[in-house]
């Protein structure tokens, strides 16, 4: 088993290069995001038994009925949120295993990520600490309310689907900030919410498939 994991470790750089090529073919253009995806060891965020599929373009189970998002959607959401700009402070709702937070680490100065399931929160925190990603802060909380005491944020990403566009979260956007959020129940769409001096603008982007946003801590 150890040998297998080491093997994956040694070849993962090459496998990640292939993943980057695939992301380019799928239309991801932001070099900052592609570089962050290249340096983030996705195989360390999932069970050893699934590690050989870590760089396939699929979502994978991470226990507690949750999934790690597929690489394409992680890259796409961050690209849309970043919009080519240097980001100061960002919020992610739905840490899961912590993979997307790790990809956000080199993209923003400060990353705050919130998870409602305690064992996932603890594992993600440990993993991010082991990787020495010191600008990522993991919180155990219901992220429905965001983190008003730490906002405003230049960017907000929601990694689970909300039943409707959240007014509470968009209030935590800085002027010029962008929120990327899946909305809907059976049929889900990715939305972009932009804030400027005059208010908010919403754009419906593409169909997506996310686990639902749930209320309360577990
Ligand atoms: N960002 C992850 C994806 C995690 S899946 C990745 O890198 O792959 C979505 C996560 O959202 C799940 O772990 C789920 O528990 C969490 N979630 C759902 N509702 C939530 C809420 N109200 N507050 C915080 N996290 C929530």
């Amino acid at each position: 088993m150890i040998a297998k994991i080491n093997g994956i470790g040694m070849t993962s750089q090459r496998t990640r290069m292939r993943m980057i090529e695939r992301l380019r073919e799928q239309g991801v253009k932001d070099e900052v995001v592609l570089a962050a995806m290249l340096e983030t060891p996705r195989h360390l965020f999932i069970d050893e038994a699934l590690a050989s599929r870590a760089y396939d373009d699929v979502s994978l189970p991470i226990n507690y009925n949750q999934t790690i998002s597929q690489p394409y959607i992680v890259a796409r959401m961050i690209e849309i949120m970043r919009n080519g700009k240097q980001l100061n402070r960002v919020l992610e709702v739905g840490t899961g295993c912590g993979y997307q937070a790790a990809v956000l680490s080199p993209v923003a100065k400060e990353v705050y990520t919130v998870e409602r399931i305690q064992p996932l929160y603890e594992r993600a925190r440990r993993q991010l600490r082991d990787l020495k990603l010191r600008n990522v802060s993991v919180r155990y909380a219901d992220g429905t309310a965001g983190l008003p005491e730490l906002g405003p944020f230049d960017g907000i990403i929601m990694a689970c689907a909300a039943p409707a566009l959240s007014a509470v979260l968009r209030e935590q956007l800085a002027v010029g900030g962008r929120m990327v959020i899946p909305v809907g129940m059976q049929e889900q769409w990715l939305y972009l919410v932009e804030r400027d001096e005059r208010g908010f603008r919403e754009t419906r982007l593409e169909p997506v498939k996310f686990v639902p946003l749930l209320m309360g801590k577990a």
Side-chain angles (χ1 to χ4, degrees):
M1 205 43 166
I2 302 269
K4 186 170 171 234
I5 294 302
N6 286 342
I8 287 166
M10 279 187 285
T11 57
S12 68
Q13 184 72 13
R14 227 172 38 223
T15 322
R16 279 204 293 278
M17 284 295 281
R18 278 204 296 274
M19 178 179 80
I20 301 305
E21 288 316 311
R22 210 172 49 220
L23 291 172
R24 285 186 201 282
E25 284 162 21
Q26 289 168 306
V28 179
K29 294 189 183 69
D30 188 330
E31 293 299 332
V32 171
V33 176
L34 292 167
M37 298 284 291
L38 181 61
E39 75 187 55
T40 307
R42 193 167 191 264
H43 63 283
L44 298 182
F45 289 87
I46 56 182
D47 281 352
E48 290 174 10
L50 294 171
S52 64
R53 297 174 61 198
Y55 298 98
D56 293 353
D57 196 34
V58 289
S59 60
L60 295 167
I62 53 168
N63 299 326
Y64 311 98
N65 268 329
Q66 305 304 323
T67 54
I68 179 173
S69 305
Q70 76 183 106
Y72 167 74
I73 200 72
V74 170
R76 180 90 180 109
M77 287 176 95
I78 300 176
E79 175 175 70
I80 294 165
M81 176 179 76
R82 210 179 87 81
N83 197 25
K85 295 204 189 84
Q86 209 45 47
L87 298 173
N88 215 350
R89 196 173 268 217
V90 303
L91 170 67
E92 177 194 35
V93 177
T95 315
C97 59
Y99 173 68
Q100 187 156 28
V103 178
L104 284 167
S105 171
V107 170
K109 214 180 252 168
E110 297 167 33
V111 179
Y112 295 89
T113 180
V114 187
E115 175 57 53
R116 66 179 283 277
I117 299 178
Q118 190 164 21
L120 286 179
Y121 151 77
E122 277 164 7
R123 201 176 65 187
R125 213 168 78 132
R126 207 174 323 119
Q127 187 59 63
L128 293 162
R129 200 199 297 131
D130 289 351
L131 290 172
K132 301 193 167 48
L133 302 178
R134 297 200 175 83
N135 65 334
V136 181
S137 170
V138 191
R139 307 288 163 111
Y140 172 49
D142 179 349
T144 313
L147 288 175
E149 67 282 11
L150 289 163
F153 300 96
D154 301 317
I156 300 177
I157 275 186
M158 193 138 178
C160 40
L165 267 175
S166 164
V168 177
L169 279 183
R170 73 179 199 180
E171 287 303 330
Q172 289 168 38
L173 276 180
V175 170
R178 291 158 77 91
M179 172 163 80
V180 184
I181 175 171
V183 177
M185 311 286 272
Q186 263 82 341
E187 188 187 306
Q188 299 173 4
W189 287 82
L190 198 60
Y191 276 82
L192 166 65
V193 180
E194 298 165 275
R195 182 173 206 172
D196 64 19
E197 301 77 14
R198 292 193 309 265
F200 299 95
R201 193 171 68 201
E202 293 160 8
T203 315
R204 196 175 86 159
L205 300 173
E206 59 197 65
V208 285
K209 189 105 199 67
F210 278 85
V211 296
L213 173 79
L214 298 173
M215 307 288 274
K217 295 205 264 185

